[in-house]
Amino acid sequence: MSATDAAVDAPVRRATTGDWVGLSVLALACLMYVMDLTVLHLALPQISEQLAPSSAQLLWIIDVYGFMVAGALVTMGTLGDRIGRRRLLMIGAVGFGLTSILAAFATTPEMLILSRALLGLAGATLAPSTLSLIFHMFADPRQRSVAIGIWIGAFSAGSAIGPVLGGLVLEHFWWGAVFLLALPVMVALLILGPIVLPEYKDPNAGRLDLLSVGLSVVAVLAVIFGLKEIAQDGVAWLPVVLIAAGLLIGWRWVRRQKRLADPMIDVGLFRIGSFRTALAVNFLAVFISVGYFLFLAQYLQLILGLSPLQSGLWSLPSAAGFIVGSQLGPRIVRRVQPALVIAVGLGLTAVGLGLLTQIGVTGGLWVIVTSSVVISLGLGPVFGLTTELIVGTAPPEKAGAASGISETAAELGGALGIAILGSVGVAIYRSQLAAGLPAGLPSQAADAAKDTLGGAVVVSSTLPPAEGAAVFDAAANAFVTGLRVVSAVATVIAVIIAVVSWFALRRPRPTVAVPAADGVVVPGTPDGAPGAGAGAGADPDPAVAGPDGRLCGADC
């Protein structure tokens, strides 16, 4: 027997109780990471009142965290491969805790912007470190799929818990208290991390190429910032130039990685079909999910009149659906190909988005809740399986960098979703409202109403009752029309990527010769037995996992 055969036949290490405890610690860190993205929006009215930032400063307070996270993900993933993923996670936890205190007690807008930027850098250590540690801790393909489902679910739980917990905190404390929510979690991570988390790093890693780091950060930041500017103010020469410059710098980064002996990421991975397809599916799934979700909070609060806390509570069913979906995916994929699970999940997402095209100005609450649950049930397994395909394609010592690539693609997908789908919705809103505003409305009030739905609500409250009601009804109808069109566009995209993922990722199930009990070789399934249901020691289904135990597609 060759060394390769021996490696293939060797039993895969199964996770211990300590590994599962470690996973709970990692999930808690991810939950906190997402909560920090969501709780700030609830505190903005108090921040505006007490710190009195300008409109530009307020936008930077909101956006700089996401900018820094997106720009630093690949770098932090690569750094974790070199210095140790647990060590980077501990450094990030310390930084996150300290900068959370700095943000909580900020006394000027500039101080808060700086704090949020540093929080973003610290937050960028969490996602790639936690994901790459999961790949190291869970060698068994089935256990790893479950672990990644829990990891994905933690992000959804954070997005749901954040508004609810933040709303409760703000009812009793000052705005800075929302940042202090991270401290207990980070202290727990620092205490438990060294005990329950293993250390892993690339034993043959070279020095980190600082020029590559700079190129990757500038490229991602330029593209993200350009997309955000287009989403906010429309197409203009500055954001277009920034996006073009970012793409050019990104191309220069790729060229440099090809020449380096020890690159940040092996760009040859992009030649692997399953890697490319999984990355594209993940990117587009985030694109449609963020793009449609952008409109839901505005609908709930500005049209239905719900408070932020009530809106957060109504988002809990969607978060629960996402958690259920992310946990069902690993169990279903034991018996069917990942391509089928991903395609069906995207098909279910299309159904939920299709339901949103039927929403009206009144009675839309249950439409939103139902459609959001359906969408979440569909996207849960999609995100989990595509993430495993992306990171599982890379060699173990480069899992951190691959995790950074995966998370960066998700950030870019979200930014592009906001820019494109958001722009479509805004364009429809403005064109519809221009034709529906009552005659004789002052031009200043009309311009404010056409700018945003929030502006229209403010304008309607300052006008006489009849005229104000007319402005509100026109704005609400225009907004709902935009939401319907955006949902229809997202539905079409979901159907397209469902079809593409099925044809690009599916792999015919081969027939494998399996020794029977009497030594006679009989045809069987790749599960190691004639028929479904492999035992614990059976080889993984090649449609689910490759010879090294990693989930892969047709290129295994």
Side-chain angles (χ1 to χ4, degrees):
M1 178 184 293
S2 68
T4 303
D5 292 335
V8 172
D9 293 337
V12 177
R13 185 189 73 85
R14 293 183 63 81
T16 64
T17 302
D19 291 326
W20 291 105
V21 174
L23 175 64
S24 66
V25 174
L26 296 177
L28 196 61
C30 293
L31 183 145
M32 193 65 249
Y33 159 80
V34 177
M35 279 181 57
D36 210 74
L37 284 169
T38 58
V39 295
L40 176 72
H41 292 81
L42 300 179
L44 287 179
Q46 292 185 32
I47 291 173
S48 298
E49 180 181 348
Q50 296 182 25
L51 297 186
S54 66
S55 58
Q57 288 174 327
L58 191 61
L59 287 175
W60 276 108
I61 290 171
I62 297 170
D63 291 335
V64 72
Y65 180 88
F67 287 159
M68 299 308 293
V69 167
L73 278 169
V74 175
T75 297
M76 292 302 180
T78 304
L79 186 61
D81 290 338
R82 283 165 165 76
I83 70 170
R85 294 158 188 172
R86 186 182 68 187
R87 177 182 295 179
L88 181 66
L89 186 61
M90 297 299 102
I91 294 172
V94 171
F96 204 92
L98 292 177
T99 50
S100 293
I101 296 173
L102 185 65
F105 294 98
T107 55
T108 64
E110 294 83 2
M111 185 177 175
L112 185 55
I113 291 170
L114 175 62
S115 303
R116 292 277 294 167
L118 295 174
L119 270 173
L121 284 176
T125 67
L126 298 179
S129 294
T130 53
L131 184 55
S132 54
L133 279 171
I134 286 173
F135 270 77
H136 178 58
M137 293 159 62
F138 296 89
D140 179 81
R142 294 183 177 182
Q143 290 185 323
R144 184 173 59 242
S145 294
V146 173
I148 291 177
I150 293 173
W151 180 81
I152 292 285
F155 285 93
S156 178
S159 66
I161 294 172
V164 176
L165 189 57
L168 291 174
V169 168
L170 289 172
E171 287 185 1
H172 300 91
F173 302 98
W174 91 111
W175 62 265
V178 297
F179 294 106
L180 300 181
L181 293 172
L183 292 184
V185 176
M186 294 304 143
V187 170
L189 180 58
L190 289 171
I191 294 173
L192 297 175
I195 300 172
V196 298
L197 298 177
E199 182 59 285
Y200 184 83
K201 62 181 179 180
D202 182 358
N204 301 311
R207 294 181 61 183
L208 186 63
D209 181 53
L210 295 181
L211 180 56
S212 293
V213 169
L215 289 172
S216 68
V217 170
V218 172
V220 174
L221 284 178
V223 173
I224 291 283
F225 183 73
L227 292 173
K228 292 269 190 180
E229 286 293 297
I230 289 175
Q232 177 184 317
D233 300 321
V235 178
W237 69 267
L238 178 59
V240 171
V241 169
L242 284 171
I243 292 172
L247 294 175
L248 183 61
I249 294 170
W251 172 79
R252 179 71 180 85
W253 178 83
V254 171
R255 297 266 299 178
R256 184 169 180 80
Q257 301 318 297
K258 290 180 177 180
R259 294 198 302 266
L260 290 175
D262 188 26
M264 291 179 67
I265 186 71
D266 180 8
V267 293
L269 290 172
F270 290 91
R271 292 195 295 267
I272 301 174
S274 59
F275 181 88
R276 284 198 314 271
T277 303
L279 196 64
V281 169
N282 190 280
F283 172 90
L284 290 171
V286 175
F287 173 93
I288 58 177
S289 64
V290 173
Y292 96 88
F293 190 77
L294 175 69
F295 294 86
L296 298 192
Q298 297 180 73
Y299 182 92
L300 292 174
Q301 295 183 41
L302 298 178
I303 293 182
L304 298 186
L306 302 181
S307 68
L309 179 58
Q310 290 172 321
S311 299
L313 290 172
W314 281 111
S315 70
L316 291 178
S318 172
F322 195 94
I323 293 171
V324 170
S326 63
Q327 297 308 301
L328 283 176
R331 288 162 174 78
I332 298 173
V333 83
R334 296 174 184 176
R335 302 191 180 278
V336 300
Q337 294 188 34
L340 180 59
V341 179
I342 292 171
V344 170
L346 289 167
L348 195 59
T349 301
V351 172
L353 290 166
L355 287 175
L356 271 181
T357 63
Q358 307 304 308
I359 196 169
V361 174
T362 59
L365 179 60
W366 289 107
V367 175
I368 283 183
V369 173
T370 304
S371 62
S372 296
V373 169
V374 174
I375 292 168
S376 296
L377 284 170
L379 288 179
V382 172
F383 287 138
L385 294 176
T386 54
T387 298
E388 190 171 357
L389 277 165
I390 294 165
V391 182
T393 305
E397 65 273 11
K398 294 293 185 183
S403 302
I405 290 287
S406 173
E407 293 303 304
T408 300
E411 292 286 341
L412 289 171
L416 195 63
I418 292 173
I420 294 180
L421 296 181
S423 297
V424 169
V426 168
I428 292 172
Y429 168 79
R430 289 173 176 170
S431 64
Q432 292 278 318
L433 186 58
L437 285 174
L441 190 68
S443 59
Q444 187 176 1
D447 291 340
K450 286 186 286 186
D451 188 33
T452 63
L453 177 62
V457 172
V458 171
V459 167
S460 67
S461 66
T462 64
L463 297 172
E467 194 174 14
V471 170
F472 178 83
D473 289 343
N477 280 289
F479 183 85
V480 167
T481 301
L483 173 56
R484 288 172 178 166
V485 173
V486 166
S487 300
V489 172
T491 301
V492 173
I493 295 173
V495 171
I496 291 172
I497 56 177
V499 174
V500 170
S501 63
W502 165 243
F503 284 103
L505 292 176
R506 71 191 179 105
R507 182 182 186 184
R509 182 182 293 268
T511 300
V512 180
V514 180
D518 58 0
V520 178
V521 176
V522 297
T525 70
D527 292 317
D539 290 333
D541 185 336
V544 178
D548 58 356
R550 292 179 291 152
L551 187 66
C552 56
D555 298 282
C556 285

